[in-house]
Amino acid sequence: MRSMLLASGALLTLCATQAQAAVQIEWWHAMGGALGEKVEAIAAAFNASQSDYEVVAVYKGNYTETLNAAIAAFRAGEQPEIVQVFEVGTGSMMAAKGAVYPVYQLMADMGEPFESSGFLAAVTGYYTDPDGNMLSMPFNSSTPVLYYNKNVFEAAGIDGPPTTWPELAEDAQKIIDAGLAECGFTTAWQSWVQIENFSAWHNLPIGTLSNGFEGLGTEFTIDNAQVLRHLTNMHDWSKSGIFEYGGRRGDSQGLFTSGHCAMFFNSSAGRAGLLSSVEGFEFGTSMLPYYPDIEGAPQNSIIGGASLWVLAGNDDDQYPGVAKFFSYLSSAEVQADWHQFSGYLPITNAAYELTKSQGYYDANPGADVSISQMTLNPPTPNSKGLRFGNFVQIRDIFNEEMEAIWADQKTPEEALEAMITRGNELLRQFESDNG
């Protein structure tokens, strides 16, 4: 009996030693609620798949809070191995000399198979350097789409969603005149949707030097006739009820889910939330409308969301685990499951094909609109994405100036001029700080 107890004790000690031997990897993220629970489940599944590494998912607040926390931690020498950074923080991360371990280099150094061509081109283009090397690992990528109230459209005798802006305005007015809704459309994330993606969708440059991809010295170019026309139209539509402003982020969703507005521009990743919150009507999903007289439209939309950056300065024994986790995370099975659960894009071609073969798109009409829109045409220098320093603050400026238009505090011309002037000032500041 004594020998059995000793053997059992030795076994327990061995198991404990093995458990303690797992190298811990911290993953700071900005996913709250159900998405946060899914992130934790992904980490737990990876941990269960092997015994050498333990990924610990830590929620650090919204995107801005997570980025700021990572910066503060790095300065204190207490940085995590992985941090989730939203797409507009890409320029700042690239300029953080010595703080980042580029993903393409990590995977090569650790001997992990990694082929960027397996990822959707419109996704990888946002996170690559001028030589096409991936600097971060795409994770939750989305693009804006148009959601519409199918019941209202049918009651108004409108056969399907609008494909152009003139059609959208006409449909909205018809719906309002029929008393089927008080507002034609609202928009979430107005800078991202109505300026950044509007420009890419119409193959218009947001800034010089390929939207900043070619380096510092870029200047904004959104004060063009096409953007001016669009913001002028939106101003006029806000007076007639065709457009109603509901806030900078996702604040306007209630205007759509309540039936107040017939159409809603929001992230493709918002689909799951709409499915759980819309009551009393069925909604459809459509591509963004375009102005048919603008040459090159429609082109392709650009992504939002975030990617995972690896921070330098951690222990050498942690980086092989980070590389293995990234291989696991980008597998077709994991990405297809994440895509179907969240509404974010499947970041790899294999995940898209797997989802399609599983019949998900047949069972969920509209769930593939974002992919069709992103891959409509090969990205151009105008539609690859954007790479501007200080863009988190610059986007706030764009939002402020757009709000001034809706409030009749500035004309669209005055607001665009202010966007250019104030935005370029922050670009020059970024150059000075990172030159």
Side-chain angles (χ1 to χ4, degrees):
M1 172 69 87
R2 177 178 173 81
S3 60
M4 290 178 63
L5 290 173
L6 288 173
S8 298
L11 181 60
L12 288 172
T13 301
L14 176 61
C15 291
T17 302
Q18 289 176 333
Q20 291 172 359
V23 176
Q24 193 171 95
I25 297 164
E26 280 199 352
W27 173 16
W28 287 9
H29 67 87
M31 302 273 92
L35 290 176
E37 293 174 2
K38 187 65 173 180
V39 163
E40 292 177 359
I42 291 172
F46 169 74
N47 296 338
S49 72
Q50 47 75 53
S51 58
D52 295 327
Y53 305 98
E54 179 189 9
V55 172
V56 180
V58 182
Y59 175 66
K60 300 299 286 188
N62 64 33
Y63 284 137
T64 303
E65 292 166 344
T66 300
L67 177 58
N68 289 340
I71 292 171
F74 187 84
R75 289 172 178 167
E78 300 174 348
Q79 67 273 21
E81 286 66 52
I82 306 169
V83 61
Q84 181 186 27
V85 178
F86 55 166
E87 87 285 7
V88 294
T90 301
S92 297
M93 294 299 292
M94 288 182 64
K97 296 180 177 64
V100 170
Y101 194 163
V103 163
Y104 78 92
Q105 185 178 336
L106 167 79
M107 301 301 272
D109 290 348
M110 301 304 131
E112 280 292 314
F114 182 69
E115 183 55 63
S116 61
S117 62
F119 293 76
L120 296 178
V123 173
T124 57
Y126 209 110
Y127 301 117
T128 55
D129 65 15
D131 297 322
N133 298 311
M134 283 179 60
L135 303 173
S136 60
M137 176 63 71
F139 177 53
N140 56 306
S141 296
S142 59
T143 198
V145 294
L146 175 64
Y147 298 104
Y148 66 100
N149 187 321
K150 281 188 171 183
N151 299 53
V152 164
F153 269 69
E154 290 173 5
I158 303 171
D159 186 21
T163 58
T164 69
W165 279 104
E167 289 174 357
L168 184 145
E170 182 180 344
D171 291 348
Q173 192 62 63
K174 186 174 183 179
I175 288 168
I176 293 170
D177 290 345
L180 297 168
E182 297 177 62
C183 141
F185 77 93
T186 188
T187 183
W189 309 100
Q190 61 176 356
S191 174
W192 181 51
V193 179
Q194 305 299 343
I195 291 183
E196 300 160 41
N197 267 280
F198 174 88
S199 297
W201 192 230
H202 291 86
N203 199 24
L204 301 169
I206 301 168
T208 59
L209 299 178
S210 298
N211 289 345
F213 273 80
E214 295 178 13
L216 303 178
T218 183
E219 295 187 343
F220 289 111
T221 57
I222 57 174
D223 57 338
N224 55 64
Q226 294 86 348
V227 174
L228 175 60
R229 172 176 60 165
H230 184 53
L231 293 184
T232 300
N233 284 342
M234 288 187 66
H235 168 266
D236 295 344
W237 292 334
S238 72
K239 304 309 169 188
S240 64
I242 290 176
F243 163 59
E244 184 170 328
Y245 179 57
R248 294 184 183 182
R249 292 176 173 262
D251 320 61
S252 54
Q253 178 164 306
L255 296 176
F256 178 68
T257 57
S258 67
H260 180 77
C261 293
M263 291 170 278
F264 179 40
F265 290 96
N266 193 21
S267 166
S268 56
R271 183 175 182 275
L274 289 179
L275 285 170
S276 64
S277 60
V278 165
E279 294 183 4
F281 67 89
E282 183 181 358
F283 71 88
T285 309
S286 180
M287 288 190 188
L288 299 174
Y290 63 95
Y291 287 95
D293 60 340
I294 297 180
E295 186 177 356
Q299 170 55 41
N300 67 276
S301 58
I302 56 177
I303 62 172
S307 64
L308 305 183
W309 291 79
V310 182
L311 298 184
N314 288 300
D315 294 340
D316 290 343
D317 63 347
Q318 293 174 305
Y319 291 116
V322 174
K324 289 186 179 299
F325 176 59
F326 280 177
S327 290
Y328 173 85
L329 190 66
S330 59
S331 67
E333 293 76 16
V334 173
Q335 278 302 312
D337 177 64
W338 171 246
H339 161 56
Q340 293 174 35
F341 172 84
S342 67
Y344 284 107
L345 294 165
I347 61 170
T348 66
N349 296 308
Y352 170 61
E353 292 299 331
L354 176 59
T355 299
K356 187 164 58 174
S357 70
Q358 292 172 337
Y360 178 78
Y361 300 127
D362 292 333
N364 297 273
D368 59 345
V369 165
S370 57
I371 301 137
S372 300
Q373 184 174 271
M374 288 285 295
T375 59
L376 186 63
N377 288 297
T380 72
N382 296 332
S383 67
K384 182 180 179 181
L386 50 86
R387 188 68 55 75
F388 303 117
N390 283 338
F391 199 68
V392 177
Q393 300 93 318
I394 290 169
R395 184 179 272 175
D396 285 338
I397 289 173
F398 288 0
N399 281 320
E400 288 175 10
E401 298 299 336
M402 293 173 80
E403 287 168 346
I405 297 174
W406 317 145
D408 284 329
Q409 296 170 348
K410 289 185 178 181
T411 66
E413 293 90 344
E414 291 170 339
L416 277 173
E417 182 180 352
M419 289 183 207
I420 296 294
T421 300
R422 297 175 65 194
N424 285 344
E425 286 175 356
L426 284 181
L427 290 179
R428 303 294 79 79
Q429 177 187 316
F430 185 82
E431 291 173 19
S432 176
D433 294 341
N434 297 277

